Amino acid sequence: MTEETADKLRQIDLFSRLETGALRRLAALFERAEYSPDDCLTQHGETSTCLHILERGRATAWRMDSSGVEEPVRDLGPGDSFGVAALFLDDASDVTVQITENATVLSLERSRLDQFLDDFPAVRDSLLFPPAIEERLSAPQFDWMTAGEYVVFYSTKSHWALVAAEAAPLFIFLVLTTVASLTRHILHLPVILSALAVLVGGGLALIKWLDWRNDYYVVTDKRVVHHESRLPTLQVTVKQAPLHQVQNVNLLKSGPIAKSFNFGTLDIQTAGVEGSIVFRYLDDPEQCLKLIFDLLEKTCSLERAVERVAIRRAMEQRFEPQEKPEKETRAETPPPIQYTSGDVVWDIESPPTELREKPERQSILVGIARRIGFFLPRFREERGQVVTWHKHPFVLAKAIWTPALILVAALLAGVAWAAIGGQSFSSVVLVLFLIWCLSLFWLLWRYEDWRNDVFQMTASHIIDIDRLPLGLRESKRQASLEQVQNVNAEIPNAWARLFNYGSVVIETAGAAGDLTFEWVMRPRAVQAEIFQRMEALRATQRAEETERRRTEMADWFSVYDEMKEGSDSQE
């Protein structure tokens, strides 16, 4: 049987280049199982980790479109296989494969293949990956991506954008070299102009090239992203929008050159205040346009398929008879806690008094650390589901440097007054003491004002809090994560890039408008964390909506059963 399985594996492109010995070892890892009609090997919307080969019988593969209509994909017969992608990717299955005749199926689990490739690493080099899988496995990874997220499209600007950007440096170079050639009779001037042509023209050309190279566009299965880095200021702007918030995508090709060389602009519109994320100078923009709409279609169809699977399971639980009655379950009494002392063990509900745990005494150092923590708070704090960000310490330094300087100056003046033998209770000491007290109060006021300006994110809301000390005034702006359309991060200059601070702008579709987190540390990490919360909230809402529909359908069937029982009793 191993020889027959090895022959079937050779027909699969993925294993077509493996040697006979490797195929035999791999064939031994397959498991054989029997299936009846209507059994499903994979469900549209569920994650699979198996490669299947139909050894006997027949099956059909179909998928559900975004409108909920089931459409056939292909029929499967003996020797056909499916699920190669499941061995390497964590995607939900995009088809349902259902048995139509009694079938024997060979299946290979991903974990077994991974172990096989770990034992025989040379085999991996002989695998012939399908282009789509190879592209996915070699796609770039970014630190802002969430678990399971993958890149579908990545591109820098077109080389024609680089040509347009290099026109100015080239013009400067040509002008300077031309002037140098015309003034060759003037001593040293041609050399100076030629050096300027190389330094200025070449320097600008290098800056334009780096600027072009650091500007790129990304489309993942969850979002669209535009990353832009401007030189020489080193300003970084990252604009992104969740894929499901995309409302329209417009394609523009301006002029005969763009049409001839197939580059253009994609305007990806959302409901945010800014309205869109723009991909300029994009090669083959039709491909990116098609990918975005295919992803939107795939996402909708997967959501419909997941809902359909939930409904199917609810109906099966209600109408299909249970083969085995449910066993009566009893709550087990937990075993008594054991307390050990030396060689003696007590199986009792409470230990002897001398063995009971004594409450820990709060150490003096812990108390001191907590008090210091009031003055030196963490710039990111997480308590439960609430994340709080404070502004960068530069904001604090800017706010307190004047009162701190006056405070230190008054203190030094007092020390100097004592050093020259001044009287301890003179008017000078009184004035210095008043200045010191006022500057200390001013410093503490500024510190508390900085400490009270925070940005918060809960499980469902984004909040910008601005509070004056002593409770004199408090303003709070908040927006639901459901209303967030775009989340943009900006690092304004080289100094900000060095110390990793900037702004995060949250565009919403609500009346609150934009919320801006200014002077926040690690803005791109904050941006990624907000996006993760948005995805988690959306997943929770989908699960709640699915459960609500299941409950509603169960209620419908319960009412139907009651009505049917009532009509039967009347008869």
Side-chain angles (χ1 to χ4, degrees):
M1 300 300 289
T2 302
E3 291 290 341
E4 296 178 3
T5 304
D7 291 338
K8 291 181 174 64
L9 290 180
R10 192 174 282 107
Q11 305 303 316
I12 301 175
D13 291 340
L14 178 68
F15 307 118
S16 59
R17 297 191 303 191
L18 297 187
E19 296 179 356
T20 303
L23 287 173
R24 289 174 180 172
R25 292 190 184 95
L26 187 61
L29 302 179
F30 278 77
E31 294 182 348
R32 179 176 283 101
E34 301 293 331
Y35 292 90
S36 302
D38 296 332
D39 288 343
C40 289
L41 297 177
T42 62
Q43 287 275 9
H44 189 188
E46 293 188 342
T47 302
S48 174
T49 58
C50 286
L51 166 68
H52 300 284
I53 301 176
L54 202 62
E55 189 177 48
R56 178 182 64 87
R58 303 198 66 83
T60 183
W62 53 270
R63 67 163 57 93
M64 186 178 300
D65 62 18
S66 58
S67 59
V69 177
E70 297 177 358
E71 54 182 21
V73 176
R74 64 168 176 150
D75 291 326
L76 301 169
D80 289 335
S81 63
F82 61 92
V84 171
L87 294 176
F88 305 98
L89 307 178
D90 294 323
D91 297 357
S93 176
D94 59 352
V95 296
T96 294
V97 178
Q98 193 170 24
I99 300 297
T100 56
E101 295 179 4
N102 290 328
T104 303
V105 180
L106 301 173
S107 301
L108 175 64
E109 273 283 349
R110 182 196 299 182
S111 58
R112 289 194 167 196
L113 177 63
D114 290 342
Q115 184 61 49
F116 177 75
L117 295 179
D118 289 340
D119 295 339
F120 304 97
V123 173
R124 184 180 292 274
D125 297 332
S126 301
L127 296 178
L128 183 61
F129 291 99
I133 297 178
E134 186 173 12
E135 185 177 348
R136 279 281 304 278
L137 294 176
S138 60
Q141 299 292 313
F142 301 95
D143 54 4
W144 42 260
M145 295 172 61
T146 59
E149 185 175 3
Y150 60 90
V151 173
V152 178
F153 176 84
Y154 170 85
S155 176
T156 58
K157 286 185 176 180
S158 170
H159 285 81
W160 288 100
L162 179 61
V163 171
E166 297 290 6
L170 179 61
F171 177 76
I172 293 173
F173 177 82
L174 292 176
V175 168
L176 291 176
T177 52
T178 302
V179 173
S181 64
L182 294 176
T183 57
R184 58 182 179 274
H185 59 281
I186 301 176
L187 185 63
H188 301 309
L189 185 59
V191 176
I192 295 174
L193 291 176
S194 298
L196 284 175
V198 173
L199 291 176
V200 176
L204 284 176
L206 178 62
I207 289 174
K208 293 295 185 181
W209 179 80
L210 291 174
D211 200 10
W212 168 82
R213 183 173 176 269
N214 291 327
D215 195 355
Y216 58 83
Y217 312 113
V218 181
V219 178
T220 75
D221 62 321
K222 295 182 179 179
R223 69 185 98 184
V224 292
V225 181
H226 176 199
H227 180 283
E228 185 174 14
S229 180
R230 296 187 179 92
L231 295 177
T233 62
L234 295 180
Q235 179 184 4
V236 177
T237 304
V238 182
K239 294 185 176 182
Q240 64 177 12
L243 188 66
H244 66 271
Q245 298 287 13
V246 174
Q247 297 186 340
N248 195 20
V249 183
N250 298 323
L251 171 61
L252 176 64
K253 291 183 179 180
S254 300
I257 295 179
K259 294 179 180 178
S260 300
F261 293 95
N262 193 21
F263 68 89
T265 298
L266 279 187
D267 185 5
I268 304 169
Q269 297 180 346
T270 68
V273 176
E274 296 256 337
S276 61
I277 293 178
V278 182
F279 290 3
R280 292 186 175 89
Y281 282 102
L282 186 64
D283 283 323
D284 195 6
E286 288 90 352
Q287 178 195 7
C288 184
L289 178 70
K290 182 177 183 300
L291 282 173
I292 291 175
F293 282 112
D294 287 347
L295 279 174
L296 291 171
E297 173 75 17
K298 181 180 179 180
T299 301
C300 292
S301 63
L302 282 176
E303 291 177 356
R304 293 298 297 267
V306 169
E307 292 178 3
R308 184 68 63 90
V309 169
I311 292 172
R312 181 188 297 274
R313 287 178 176 172
M315 294 180 67
E316 288 174 350
Q317 291 176 1
R318 183 168 187 84
F319 292 109
E320 289 189 0
Q322 299 292 332
E323 296 181 1
K324 296 182 181 180
E326 294 184 1
K327 296 182 179 179
E328 182 180 355
T329 58
R330 297 179 180 177
E332 297 183 359
T333 304
I337 303 174
Q338 294 183 336
Y339 297 91
T340 306
S341 176
D343 297 330
V344 182
V345 178
W346 285 272
D347 286 334
I348 53 178
E349 295 184 359
S350 61
T353 305
E354 62 271 13
L355 293 180
R356 292 179 184 172
E357 295 182 1
K358 297 180 180 180
E360 294 184 1
R361 293 181 178 178
Q362 187 181 40
S363 67
I364 298 176
L365 293 177
V366 172
I368 294 174
R370 289 181 177 177
R371 285 164 177 79
I372 293 176
F374 175 84
F375 293 99
L376 296 174
R378 296 179 180 177
F379 300 103
R380 181 194 177 278
E381 299 176 335
E382 185 171 359
R383 295 181 180 178
Q385 292 189 327
V386 179
V387 179
T388 301
W389 293 282
H390 292 273
K391 291 185 176 180
H392 197 276
F394 284 164
V395 178
L396 176 62
K398 183 179 178 181
I400 67 172
W401 78 269
T402 302
L405 185 62
I406 297 174
L407 185 71
V408 173
L411 184 61
L412 293 177
V415 173
W417 177 259
I420 63 176
Q423 297 180 2
S424 301
F425 298 99
S426 65
S427 58
V428 174
V429 174
L430 179 61
V431 170
L432 289 176
F433 179 72
L434 290 175
I435 293 174
W436 189 86
C437 291
L438 290 174
S439 59
L440 178 61
F441 176 79
W442 187 11
L443 185 146
L444 293 176
W445 176 278
R446 288 290 186 88
Y447 170 79
E448 186 67 11
D449 189 27
W450 169 83
R451 184 175 174 274
N452 288 337
D453 291 347
V454 297
F455 314 114
Q456 287 185 336
M457 178 172 61
T458 68
S460 58
H461 286 82
I462 291 283
I463 308 170
D464 183 1
I465 301 175
D466 188 1
R467 184 188 302 119
L468 286 178
L470 305 178
L472 295 180
R473 181 179 63 83
E474 178 178 343
S475 65
K476 181 185 294 185
R477 298 181 64 210
Q478 71 177 29
S480 171
L481 286 173
E482 296 178 70
Q483 296 177 329
V484 174
Q485 302 292 316
N486 303 341
V487 183
N488 305 324
E490 181 176 348
I491 301 175
N493 49 49
W495 183 263
R497 193 167 185 175
L498 177 64
F499 291 96
N500 199 9
Y501 70 85
S503 300
V504 177
V505 181
I506 297 108
E507 299 179 12
T508 72
D514 289 357
L515 295 180
T516 303
F517 291 1
E518 296 177 331
W519 289 91
V520 69
M521 291 187 67
R522 296 186 289 274
R524 283 178 285 190
V526 174
Q527 179 190 39
E529 193 164 0
I530 293 173
F531 190 89
Q532 290 175 8
R533 283 289 179 95
M534 292 167 57
E535 286 297 307
L537 177 63
R538 186 164 180 261
T540 301
Q541 290 176 336
R542 285 202 307 265
E544 290 176 350
E545 177 64 17
T546 301
E547 183 62 28
R548 186 191 65 80
R549 291 186 180 181
R550 290 176 60 183
T551 304
E552 186 178 90
M553 180 162 291
D555 292 340
W556 276 88
F557 284 123
S558 296
V559 173
Y560 172 77
D561 289 342
E562 292 173 2
M563 295 176 62
K564 186 177 180 181
E565 290 175 1
S567 62
D568 292 342
S569 61
Q570 290 178 0
E571 293 177 358

